[in-house]
Amino acid sequence: MEFLKAFLVGGAICAIVQIFLDKTKLLPGRIMTAIVCIGVVLGAVGIYEPFMEWAGCGASTPLFGFGNALFKGVKEAVDEQGLLGVFTGGLKAGAAGICAALVFGYLAALIFKPKLDK
């Protein structure tokens, strides 16, 4: 049941984002940035953490979860280091995900051939 709930929540989030991509003139980069920022705001307000506990990986995997992770990292770093934590907390919290994206993107570029339009 946990997997089904995670699948449905993650799918609903992705479907809503896809509707925004298809029905608005906003560029994909702007929509993705807005999603991360919404995740930060929902984490700061205290809404996203209970939602993530209920939905499991369906809520922690999309970009909303990345924004929430950035918020938690900044909050912890500010508690430990003060104002300097504003600059270091997000980098520490997001380092593993960013590094994984770079490594897997590089591996995909090595394995697959790009399609060049002429």
Side-chain angles (χ1 to χ4, degrees):
M1 192 63 175
E2 222 174 293
F3 293 119
L4 180 63
K5 189 186 329 179
F7 175 77
L8 292 175
V9 170
I13 290 172
C14 291
I16 291 168
V17 171
Q18 189 64 48
I19 290 169
F20 273 104
L21 285 168
D22 292 343
K23 299 294 182 185
T24 66
K25 293 185 179 185
L26 293 172
L27 297 173
R30 291 178 188 238
I31 292 174
M32 299 302 146
T33 303
I35 292 169
V36 172
C37 292
I38 291 169
V40 170
V41 170
L42 290 176
V45 174
I47 296 172
Y48 203 75
E49 196 66 35
F51 174 65
M52 198 166 59
E53 288 176 17
W54 175 79
C57 287
S60 64
T61 304
L63 287 174
F64 289 111
F66 181 68
N68 184 50
L70 290 177
F71 165 73
K72 288 193 309 188
V74 169
K75 183 179 179 209
E76 290 173 8
V78 167
D79 291 342
E80 293 173 5
Q81 302 171 349
L83 186 59
L84 185 62
V86 171
F87 302 106
T88 63
L91 293 174
K92 285 183 183 177
I98 293 169
C99 182
L102 289 172
V103 168
F104 290 124
Y106 180 72
L107 290 175
L110 288 176
I111 295 170
F112 300 103
K113 300 288 181 213
K115 225 185 234 187
L116 298 176
D117 294 331
K118 292 184 180 185

